[in-house]
Amino acid sequence: PNLGIKTAHKLVYQYRQPLRVLRMLRLQNFILPLDFEIAVKRALLIWNHQVVYNPDSKCTEYLRPLPLDLQHCEFLGRLLPQPLARDIAEARLDPISRAPLLRAKPAPAL
């Protein structure tokens, strides 16, 4: 059976937690990939512990503190060294290539 947007919304509203929704889908004989639950758990971890730049400390940190068992999970992303994080946040370096960004010269005043 297919799962449309209205039914998906109803299930999320009713069961509130993604893993409960998955459990109910399995009970209703929906066919889910074998690793789907693992993928959902990973997505929730990435959402809750994403790497962000803190302008006060001028470095990257996790949005929420990592539990001890997640300290070395590569899929959550790595914290950048402070000078690199600062230069990217202040638009001095390209975040992908890490090459210096060229600043445009201001237009002459009329």
Side-chain angles (χ1 to χ4, degrees), residues 91-105:
R92 290 190 198 119
L93 291 179
D94 181 277
I96 306 296
S97 68
R98 310 269 168 90
L101 293 173
L102 302 176
R103 299 240 182 220
K105 293 182 181 179

Side-chain angles (χ1 to χ4, degrees), residues 6-64:
K6 288 183 180 181
T7 306
H9 180 269
K10 183 180 100 179
L11 289 170
V12 170
Y13 183 80
Q14 183 176 2
Y15 296 108
R16 302 281 181 198
Q17 296 176 1
L19 298 178
R20 278 187 183 167
V21 172
L22 293 178
R23 203 173 312 129
M24 292 313 299
L25 288 173
R26 284 200 178 98
L27 289 174
Q28 295 173 10
N29 293 325
F30 276 85
I31 299 170
L32 300 173
L34 295 175
D35 63 341
F36 193 70
E37 188 171 337
I38 293 169
V40 169
K41 286 180 182 179
R42 276 185 131 184
L44 291 171
L45 286 171
I46 291 169
W47 178 260
N48 288 321
H49 303 289
Q50 54 193 299
V51 176
V52 296
Y53 179 75
N54 182 340
D56 296 330
S57 64
K58 297 193 183 302
C59 64
T60 54
E61 58 188 41
Y62 292 105
L63 184 61
R64 292 187 179 95

